[in-house]
Amino acid sequence: MIVCDGLVKIYKSADLEVVALQGLDLRVEPGELMAIVGNSGSGKSTLLNMLGGLDRPSAGKLTVAGKDLLSMSDRDLIRYKRETVGFVWQNNARNLIPYLTAQENVELPILLRGRRRKARALELLEAVGLQDRRRNRLSELSGGEQQRVAIAIALANEPQLLLADEPTGSLDTKTSDQVLDLFRKLNRELGLTIVIVTHDPHLARKVDRVVAIRDGRTSSEMLRRRSYAEELAELERKGAESAAAEEESHVEYAVIDKAGRLQIPASFLEAEGFKDRNKVRVEWEDGRIVLRPPDADET
Ligand code: ADP
Ligand code: MG
């Protein structure tokens, strides 16, 4: 669904250049539900804006659903935004109108007319579990419900890819769990590919793959040992008391880029022997690559 190779984005202003993405590699399979994490300023929103066609990359390669977003004409980019992707932001105010009802808000972007439009809006509200609240004004809905209206709107034109930038950023844990459950349901039932940007580790633990961005590059990747569905099934079988430690559910991988560079987790570099060093010994040992502190006389 998504292929990013050496993706670069540079923001230029009069006297300043910010390299927001510096050679980012990422692949996302059709039907994946994955999360992107990283500190503030690491380039997460920049990446999502590129994926959504809201802004153009400066260099590198980016294709989504087989479409090349670097060489695409402006006209094709507009169509891409309308037909291929759906967007959900943290701040609902950006896509919603407070004095209209949930249903009216959902009807707005639908390109159909008359009864077909109403029917489609109802279908979307059902998909996000809001059919009973459809006549309420937006201002009468809770934060989580408003976010579900925003998700219904993002789905209005049947996108293949749903992009969500900090979708639970302003919600409490329980409500953000419900939003994530909805993403999972849409992923499973519609086969929708979903990319969620978050800095919430709690949310990130609940998807099958998490990619971490550091300084505009992918630095590490966590893969679920078992699918979330398997884990839920097991929990139901064994009861809640056996709930495995959440940290155990993912394996962490460091990403090796095309030049063979690899980012070592910062916590490892704090260890005795590695701290404040700028090199390590790299050795091949029985099919493993081993990193050791340099010998004393080498430093
Ligand atoms: P994140 O979403 O991970 O917090 P962003 O993608 O928003 O990070 O920002 C990455 C870097 O790019 C930051 O240094 C930010 O200041 C800069 N940046 C983002 N958008 C713009 C812009 N429109 N103009 C200039 N710099 C920007
Ligand atoms: Mg951001």
Side-chain angles (χ1 to χ4, degrees):
M1 180 63 68
I2 299 172
V3 179
C4 274
D5 275 333
L7 195 68
V8 173
K9 176 64 183 179
I10 302 172
Y11 291 108
K12 291 196 178 96
S13 61
D15 52 350
L16 200 68
E17 279 195 2
V18 180
V19 186
L21 298 178
Q22 34 191 331
L24 183 131
D25 300 325
L26 177 72
R27 249 147 243 264
V28 179
E29 299 299 322
E32 255 198 87
L33 168 65
M34 56 94 65
I36 294 175
V37 298
N39 291 338
S40 166
S42 57
K44 304 182 298 296
S45 295
T46 302
L47 171 63
L48 224 58
N49 289 344
M50 307 289 121
L51 294 175
L54 303 179
D55 201 355
R56 299 258 195 181
S58 308
K61 192 178 157 208
L62 175 59
T63 61
V64 179
K67 300 177 184 90
D68 183 342
L69 289 177
L70 271 97
S71 65
M72 193 181 274
S73 70
D74 288 347
R75 245 178 81 194
D76 287 345
L77 193 66
I78 290 169
R79 179 176 312 153
Y80 168 83
K81 273 188 279 192
R82 201 168 53 210
E83 294 175 359
T84 309
V85 289
F87 233 112
V88 180
W89 285 278
Q90 170 177 355
N91 188 357
N92 301 308
R94 240 168 122 169
N95 3 18
L96 304 178
I97 301 172
Y99 54 83
L100 294 184
T101 65
Q103 174 144 5
E104 286 162 345
N105 268 283
V106 176
E107 282 177 12
L108 272 181
I110 297 178
L111 302 169
L112 305 167
R113 294 270 144 235
R115 277 178 33 208
R116 284 175 62 213
R117 177 187 200 155
K118 281 203 161 27
R120 177 81 182 123
L122 202 57
E123 203 176 284
L124 290 163
L125 284 164
E126 265 167 31
V128 300
L130 275 185
Q131 59 276 30
D132 297 338
R133 307 286 277 150
R134 65 182 182 276
R135 294 202 181 84
N136 286 87
R137 282 171 202 263
L138 213 74
S139 51
E140 295 164 357
L141 300 183
S142 71
E145 287 169 339
Q146 291 187 15
Q147 195 55 297
R148 283 192 270 160
V149 175
I151 294 168
I153 290 171
L155 298 176
N157 296 324
E158 297 180 67
Q160 291 167 267
L161 174 63
L162 185 68
L163 302 170
D165 197 350
E166 307 275 3
T168 60
S170 52
L171 304 175
D172 60 46
T173 309
K174 186 164 157 259
T175 315
S176 55
D177 273 354
Q178 289 168 354
V179 168
L180 189 69
D181 284 344
L182 173 59
F183 281 140
R184 214 180 284 112
K185 169 177 170 267
L186 296 170
N187 169 254
R188 208 175 44 229
E189 291 177 3
L190 308 176
L192 191 63
T193 309
I194 305 183
V195 176
I196 306 169
V197 158
T198 180
H199 61 249
D200 177 1
H202 175 77
L203 190 153
R205 276 199 289 267
K206 297 191 161 177
V207 299
D208 288 335
R209 185 161 73 110
V210 182
V211 171
I213 298 190
R214 208 154 110 189
D215 301 331
R217 280 206 190 94
T218 32
S219 65
S220 71
E221 201 168 310
M222 304 225 296
L223 288 181
R224 213 163 234 294
R225 288 180 207 272
R226 295 172 301 163
S227 77
Y228 196 73
E230 279 169 9
E231 203 154 296
L232 284 180
E234 172 149 341
L235 277 182
E236 276 174 17
R237 218 169 35 243
K238 291 191 177 170
E241 99 282 354
S242 69
E246 281 184 290
E247 293 86 301
E248 304 254 307
S249 63
H250 285 87
V251 211
E252 183 158 1
Y253 293 89
V255 173
I256 304 174
D257 75 8
K258 290 231 163 68
R261 281 179 299 231
L262 152 86
Q263 198 155 29
I264 300 165
S267 57
F268 292 6
L269 296 176
E270 287 299 306
E272 206 47 53
F274 291 100
K275 207 172 170 191
D276 300 326
R277 301 292 181 90
N278 65 359
K279 59 185 171 191
V280 292
R281 286 176 57 159
V282 185
E283 282 157 13
W284 181 257
E285 237 178 60
D286 295 336
R288 295 158 184 247
I289 300 167
V290 179
L291 306 180
R292 291 182 210 286
D295 290 339
D297 58 350
E298 286 176 314
T299 51

